[in-house]
Amino acid sequence: MNKAYRYRLYPTTEQKIMFAKTFGCARFIYNKMLGDRLDHYKETGKKLNNTPAQYKEEFPWLKEVDSLALANAQMNLNKAYNNFWNNRKHFGKPRFKSKKTGRRLSQILCKLHIVM
């Protein structure tokens, strides 16, 4: 038998700001990497393997958020890109993520400290 516990967190104002920055940076890096991959493919006809670390010099505000959130955005893009190339009939071309539409889902890996 599996047990599940459901918790609701009430973040402080600082935590809400950090969540918003993290979600925004993850969406930005996904869109930037996707755009660069599409442009590189149009120019050369080859796949581009880029990482979030390559963009931190150009956009220093990416250093403010957790690097694992950016790495998860890269993993999600790689999965979408590989699904598209391996099975074009079933999967469409990866799409850019919008701030206004779609589900606001993001995976954030972090250390959780529970105080009792």
Side-chain angles (χ1 to χ4, degrees), residues 6-84:
R6 189 173 183 175
Y7 295 98
R8 179 169 177 133
L9 301 176
Y10 297 96
T12 63
T13 305
E14 292 175 5
Q15 291 169 335
K16 287 179 184 178
I17 292 170
M18 193 61 188
F19 284 141
K21 283 183 180 181
T22 302
F23 293 141
C25 287
R27 186 186 67 251
F28 172 80
I29 204 71
Y30 182 94
N31 289 338
K32 183 71 174 160
M33 289 174 64
L34 177 59
D36 289 348
R37 284 186 182 194
L38 294 175
D39 292 341
H40 183 75
Y41 183 75
K42 284 179 186 177
E43 293 172 5
T44 63
K46 297 179 182 178
K47 293 182 184 180
L48 173 68
N49 290 325
N50 48 359
T51 64
Q54 296 170 342
Y55 298 100
K56 287 186 178 182
E57 293 178 11
E58 186 178 355
F59 305 103
W61 42 268
L62 289 174
K63 295 177 184 177
E64 296 176 11
V65 299
D66 187 22
S67 63
L68 291 177
L70 301 179
N72 280 331
Q74 177 192 11
M75 287 175 24
N76 291 339
L77 178 61
N78 287 340
K79 185 176 180 181
Y81 220 71
N82 289 334
N83 286 341
F84 169 68

